[in-house]
Every structure is written in structure tokens, then in C-alpha cells.
Amino acid sequence: MTARDLRFGTVLFAGGSRAAWQDTARQAEDLGYDVILVADHIGRPAPFPALVSAAAVTTRPRLGTFVLNAAFYQPALLARDIATVDQLVDGRLEVGLGAGYARHEFEAAKVPFPRPGERIDHLTGTVTELRRLFDDDYHPRTTQRPAPPIMLAGQGDKVLTAAAGHADIVGFSGFNPTVVPTHGDQVDESALAERVAFLKAAAGPRFDSLELNLLLQAVAAEGAEPNLAFARSLAPGLADEALLSKPNVLRGSTQQMAETVHRYRETYGLTYFVANQLDMTSFASVMNRLR
């Protein structure tokens, strides 16, 4: 069993007016979330301005990117943005990074879409350079020293290997059958067990210092129709039955879902759970059951 405390975050999608955005951020804080997160996708709010706006109307939650597409950033410019935002949010920033996976977003941004290995190499190089810049007394300076916590998120061997060597937080995000070991299109808890075991072997002595995160793609409360829109957006080719079998789709009563989260903590060392905005209210009851 890990001694690390549970943490809970929510990824907010809402854009529109400042008032609407800040109302949603306040709601997340009122519901008890520990972290307010913003994704990095073409067509959705820009992460850093949105986080600064959320910081203006909240006091307790930390604020994070979930996750930045590292292929869209050069390290020196990203370090400047991270340091500035960390100052503006009074040291509450957490930085999530990924390799980028959506070809259509690269095309929309008119950025070349490299091969997977090249994207992961760029991700690893970005984290390495960020840490060097912050250690070199980079200006502007981050409020958190030496730097805000860095998450690397993904599901494949190369991303998890990079995370094992360079991250503070490791995010398990996908569990898609094209990437993880599966039985046909079905991806169940055995895939989670295998991915955590892979990370542990890759990290060696670093493993105990890593915070392990799970992105919940859906929270299907008992008696309610599951909202699979977010899960389907990440795996559009899977049938509903396959989506519902994923280890990061919670199902059942509030108590049953809380027991699943508790089992994930006790069995796999997962302590940081993130729900998307569609499930923010329904997961709050699970979250508060665990506190």
C-alpha cells in the first residue's frame, strides 16, 4: 500500500465568456476537487490563459495542464510560459506533457506530424531541457523551486519509459487496444496491472517517488445512462461494450465506484484520479466518499 494521499482533479472544457469559465472553476473548487486542469487541443480554450483566469477566482486547488502537446512547443519558450504562469497563480501550477497523438490537430496547426518515436524523443528532450533551464536560474523564475511538478502521460512503452526516467507524476490515460496488451477489442483491469508493472520495472528505484495518475474516461453511475462521449472521442472505433470494459471507466453505485478507486490505490499504487467535466458532479460523490 502506498502512503501517498489521494488527490482528485477535473479536466474542464468550458469556454465562452470569462464569467462562465470562472463559474465552472468555482464549482470545481466547491465540489472539493484538488486540481483544476485544462487540456491542450485545437478548438478548445488555450491552457495557460484559462488557468490564470481560474486562479483569480479560486484559492485552494492546484492548476494544471492535462496535457500539453509537447510537439507544439520549443523548450525555451515553454519554460518562459511556465515560469510566468507559476508566478501568476502563486505557485499552484502543475505541468502535464504528452507526445501528441491527433494527426488532424497537427494538420490544423500546420505542424509536421512526426513518427511516434520522433514525437516521444521530442517529449523527452523537452522535459530534460525544461529541468536544465530551471536549474540554471532561468528568468523569469518559477515560484516553486526548482520547478513545478511535471507529469508525463501516455500508454505505450516508450512514453512510460520516458516518464519512468523524467517525470514527477505519471499519467495512465488511454488503454486503447492498438497500444496496450489486450484480448481483441476488450481492455480490462489486466491492462492496468500490466502497464503499472511495466512502469515499475522501467523506473527501478525511482518508482516509489512517482505519483501515479489515472484519467477516468467515464463515470457510469448505477441506474443512469453512461455518458461515453469523452471515452468515445479517445477511441472512436470501439463499441460501447468495449468502452465500458476499460479500467478507467467507473461503473456502479457510489460505494462500488469508491471501492474500485480504493482497490486501485491498494493494488497498483494509483493515488491521483482525474474526471472530465462531463462527470465532474457525479464523480464528486465518489471522491467525497473516499475522504
Side-chain angles (χ1 to χ4, degrees), residues 153-164:
Q155 55 185 324
D157 290 358
K158 290 184 177 180
V159 170
L160 291 181
T161 298

Side-chain angles (χ1 to χ4, degrees), residues 3-291:
R4 193 184 294 272
D5 291 338
L6 287 169
R7 290 204 303 160
F8 302 98
T10 182
V11 183
L12 303 185
F13 305 140
S17 69
R18 179 180 65 175
W21 171 255
Q22 292 184 336
D23 282 348
T24 305
R26 288 191 194 95
Q27 182 187 9
E29 180 172 39
D30 291 344
L31 286 169
Y33 283 94
D34 302 299
V35 193
I36 293 171
L37 299 153
V38 181
D40 184 21
H41 291 293
I42 301 293
R44 288 185 177 165
F48 287 137
L51 292 174
V52 172
S53 181
V57 295
T58 61
T59 58
R60 183 183 52 79
R62 293 182 64 78
L63 304 135
T65 59
F66 199 89
V67 293
L68 296 178
N69 181 345
F72 287 175
Y73 299 88
Q74 291 300 319
L77 299 177
L78 181 57
R80 179 190 64 181
D81 288 351
I82 289 170
T84 301
V85 173
D86 195 46
Q87 290 179 4
L88 294 176
V89 303
D90 297 326
R92 288 194 275 159
L93 182 65
E94 299 187 1
V95 180
L97 294 166
Y101 63 90
R103 178 186 289 271
H104 69 275
E105 294 194 356
F106 284 77
E107 292 171 350
K110 300 189 184 306
V111 173
F113 187 60
R115 295 190 302 273
E118 293 174 322
R119 299 198 304 275
I120 294 167
D121 286 346
H122 180 77
L123 172 66
T124 304
T126 297
V127 177
T128 302
E129 183 65 4
L130 286 175
R131 294 203 187 279
R132 186 192 69 79
L133 288 167
F134 292 134
D135 284 345
D136 280 353
D137 196 23
Y138 186 84
H139 289 279
R141 291 172 62 91
T142 57
T143 297
Q144 299 173 87
R145 301 301 297 159
I150 295 177
M151 167 193 281
L152 295 188
Q155 55 185 324
D157 290 358
K158 290 184 177 180
V159 170
L160 291 181
T161 298
H166 299 281
D168 302 302
I169 307 166
V170 181
F172 296 95
S173 56
F175 298 103
N176 293 334
T178 56
V179 179
V180 302
T182 66
H183 304 287
D185 283 343
Q186 298 297 113
V187 183
D188 57 21
E189 191 175 324
S190 64
L192 172 61
E194 190 278 335
R195 293 289 80 190
V196 173
F198 179 91
L199 175 70
K200 185 173 185 178
R206 287 195 81 236
F207 182 76
D208 289 340
S209 69
L210 298 174
E211 182 177 35
L212 305 188
N213 164 271
L214 184 67
L215 170 62
L216 301 172
Q217 294 185 358
V219 178
E222 189 174 43
E225 186 70 20
N227 189 335
L228 296 175
F230 181 66
R232 190 175 292 111
S233 73
L234 298 176
L238 293 187
D240 287 0
E241 181 182 355
L243 291 174
L244 288 168
S245 75
K246 285 187 167 191
N248 54 348
V249 172
L250 291 186
R251 304 174 67 184
S253 67
T254 298
Q255 181 60 33
Q256 288 169 330
M257 290 190 285
E259 289 171 356
T260 297
V261 171
H262 180 73
R263 185 177 76 254
Y264 285 178
R265 180 182 188 271
E266 297 297 300
T267 306
Y268 309 115
L270 297 166
T271 58
Y272 177 18
F273 295 84
V274 170
N276 70 81
Q277 185 177 335
L278 297 172
D279 297 317
M280 182 171 68
T281 300
S282 57
F283 185 63
S285 61
V286 179
M287 174 180 74
N288 291 323
R289 182 71 63 94
L290 289 157
R291 287 181 160 149

